Amino acid sequence: MGLLDSFEKGLERAVNGAFAKTFRSGIQPVEIASALRSELDKKAAVVSRDRILTPNTLVVQLAVADYDRMAGLGQTLLDELNSAVQKHARTQGYSFAGPLTIDLQRDETLSTGTLRVESQSASGSVSWRAVVDIDGKRHPLVAARTVIGRGSDADITIPDAGTSRKHVEILWDGERAMVRDLGSTNGTQLQGQKVSEAPLPPDATVTIGRTNIVFRIVAQAAPPRPPVPDATRAFDARRGDPR
């Protein structure tokens, strides 16, 4: 589509009319949007097969004259830029580590018509943790082995009479996951196929009884609780081995 893609054209339309007379020279809002998009693309990093991480804290540094003109638009401009960046991230399949923030700053070393974008992820490095979603509730997997069933002694208890007291377990070593049936009466399904033990990919659905368990890997700004020391051993253990 050339220099301006669809989201930039939307931003351009938003600042036409009442705003148009303000910008006779120097940086235009659409140029800021383009620079922010480029910053996301430049800093995007593949952290897993299904996750591409991109910065969520963006600072646009402007020359004094450009900053004064842009600051005159106040929150309206920031809202438009935020919307444009969010849309670009969705289109590209990017994930943010935390809430997106965009700030404008004055930089007296810059010449009118130029800008610089600095970025980072919230709270430094981003960590990834495993969770399961069950009936609208999210449960973090904070140990290497998580047992799910209807018994009160399971790590995650579900009120489903069609499940065994200790029906299934999910093994997680910080990078990979497996699902293992614990000799249940009605069995365990992964993506609709009955399994006794199988690798568990992100966003896969495990079904026990009438309950669907969706396994996910999600980003968080703060480091997650580390797996227990014997995580690798638990991941590789065969049924009947002591844990």
Side-chain angles (χ1 to χ4, degrees):
M1 193 175 291
L3 180 63
L4 304 178
D5 64 15
S6 59
F7 89 81
E8 289 174 320
K9 284 184 178 297
L11 183 64
E12 186 178 38
R13 287 193 296 269
V15 298
N16 278 340
F19 294 157
K21 296 180 181 179
T22 306
F23 307 106
R24 299 182 185 277
S25 63
I27 287 294
Q28 303 290 325
V30 68
E31 294 176 272
I32 299 177
S34 181
L36 291 170
R37 181 193 67 175
S38 296
E39 182 71 8
L40 261 61
D41 293 340
K42 181 173 64 176
K43 296 290 184 65
V46 178
V47 295
S48 74
R49 184 182 62 183
D50 302 305
R51 293 292 186 272
I52 303 175
L53 183 68
T54 199
N56 64 295
T57 301
L58 300 160
V59 177
V60 181
Q61 297 179 337
L62 300 166
V64 174
D66 290 326
Y67 174 84
D68 290 343
R69 287 195 301 270
M70 297 299 164
L73 297 180
Q75 192 61 41
T76 300
L77 175 61
L78 293 177
D79 288 345
E80 292 292 343
L81 293 173
N82 188 291
S83 177
V85 171
Q86 293 275 14
K87 182 177 180 180
H88 182 65
R90 289 194 299 270
T91 300
Q92 298 298 102
Y94 296 154
S95 297
F96 293 113
L100 174 65
T101 62
I102 301 173
D103 291 319
L104 305 183
Q105 291 183 357
R106 180 189 289 107
D107 189 333
E108 296 181 357
T109 67
L110 293 176
S111 301
T112 300
T114 63
L115 62 80
R116 179 168 55 241
V117 178
E118 295 184 351
S119 63
Q120 65 179 7
S121 294
S123 302
S125 60
V126 173
S127 299
W128 298 87
R129 65 173 180 171
V131 301
V132 290
D133 291 337
I134 305 174
D135 292 334
K137 184 176 180 181
R138 175 156 292 181
H139 304 266
L141 304 185
V142 296
R145 175 176 182 255
T146 301
V147 175
I148 304 173
R150 62 179 174 81
S152 60
D153 52 347
D155 298 308
I156 299 175
T157 301
I158 55 176
D160 185 341
T163 65
S164 299
R165 294 185 59 82
K166 291 187 176 182
H167 194 114
V168 71
E169 66 179 359
I170 294 178
L171 307 174
W172 167 248
D173 70 352
E175 295 182 359
R176 303 163 298 165
M178 288 187 67
V179 58
R180 178 183 295 163
D181 185 86
L182 296 177
S184 65
T185 301
N186 296 324
T188 297
Q189 293 185 347
L190 174 62
Q191 301 291 81
Q193 300 296 318
K194 189 171 183 178
V195 297
S196 58
E197 178 178 308
L200 183 58
D203 302 321
T205 299
V206 176
T207 302
I208 59 176
R210 296 180 298 276
T211 301
N212 289 327
I213 303 166
V214 182
F215 173 75
R216 303 190 191 280
I217 299 176
V218 298
Q220 61 176 20
R225 179 178 172 181
V228 295
D230 62 342
T232 302
R233 179 169 176 263
F235 185 89
D236 294 332
R238 293 292 180 263
R239 188 178 294 109
D241 288 350
R243 297 185 178 89

